[in-house]
Amino acid sequence: MRVLQPGQGPVPGDAYLPASTDRLTWGRLPCAADAAVLRVDPGSTVTVDTVSHEGILEDQGRDPRAFFGRHGVDPDLVLDDAVAVAASRGLRTAGVDGPHVVTGPIEVAGARPGDLLRMTVLETVRRVPYGVVSNRHGRGALPGEYPVEGTSYSVFAGVDEDADGTAVGTLPLVEGGPHDVRFPLRPFLGIMGVATAGTERPHSVPPGPHGGNIDINLLTTGASLYLPVQVPGALAYVGDPHFAQGDGEVALTAMEASLRVTLRLDVVPAADALEQFGALVGPLAETAEHLVPTGMDADLDVAVQDCTRAAIALLGARYGMAPAFAYAYLSAATDFDISQVVDLVKGVHCRIRKADFARVAAR
């Protein structure tokens, strides 16, 4: 087993951004009043260390070496930056702010409101060989039923390799049992966003037009996220690293664990953005196979409706498809997935196959 401590190991990006306490926020997202901790040109690549909040929170003792030690993790396998965040004072107000550790913000030169920021995930590297899945605050898909006892429950998850060398996540069937349950790992960032206008930092839990805690598990290596720029320089940030997450994230968290990610940050000028995507009002993801519009609302039904409207608008802008025919296509050919139901604002995304429009020249 190995860990990627700050500053150690490969750093493939043009710039490196560690998760030191002077380069992050905890429980809040950057806003226009925040100063950039890194400045880059469009097209630059940045390698960013992210720190999971699991193991450093108050209900876990705010001592990651002790918390993970109870699960058999050697102190040398606990990240130094996680220890530093847990020991910090003044970064977060417990019970008021969210749990997430957010690295940034990064200023992208020339980005202006009206443009889109494209964040492309080039690489994700596991920083530790373990993670945690938690249920707390009477939240999750079954509030009032779970946690069964107390107000929080955290399940320690391991990382192992199959016979072919593929990394998998592991869980026991019961407390203290052998880790006989094995499932695929698909690392991604739960939080990818741009700063909001104004002087008040948004809470880290609910997602919105700025992105933030969108928890879309399609945003693995090779995927891109487009976000409407809200302040000069965009002020991009990332956090909430996951090793694996099912759609819905029903228990409250995914398999939360720290990642080192390399991103490319591009600016799509306003005129090009309008031509390619229409008047984008919220996050849009893209993978090799799919365009992925989103919808977000406290009411899941409204989130589905918003996602449907976003998809109709996208098909019209990109391919010239009439709204009634786009609506029909979505009903016949497109899956609408629940991103998550646990972040106060629920998320829905749909997967439009780009191959379905191979005969149509994009506008």
Side-chain angles (χ1 to χ4, degrees), residues 54-127:
E54 291 296 333
I56 70 173
L57 295 175
E58 286 77 9
D59 61 12
Q60 297 166 328
R62 200 156 166 168
D63 181 346
R65 289 197 176 104
F67 175 82
F68 290 115
R70 292 194 290 272
H71 296 282
V73 176
D74 189 277
D76 291 340
L77 296 180
V78 177
L79 294 173
D80 293 341
D81 41 7
V83 173
V85 173
S88 67
R89 294 294 178 264
L91 284 178
R92 173 178 179 269
T93 301
V96 176
D97 297 330
H100 307 102
V101 180
V102 179
T103 313
I106 303 167
E107 178 182 334
V108 184
R112 298 177 295 181
D115 297 338
L116 296 180
L117 182 71
R118 178 179 178 176
M119 306 176 70
T120 301
V121 182
L122 301 179
E123 183 181 64
T124 59
V125 180
R126 298 185 305 276
R127 298 187 65 198

Side-chain angles (χ1 to χ4, degrees), residues 19 23 35 99 115 166 191 203 266 340:
R23 293 177 174 88
D115 297 338
T166 301
I191 288 179
H203 196 281
D266 295 292
Q340 52 75 27

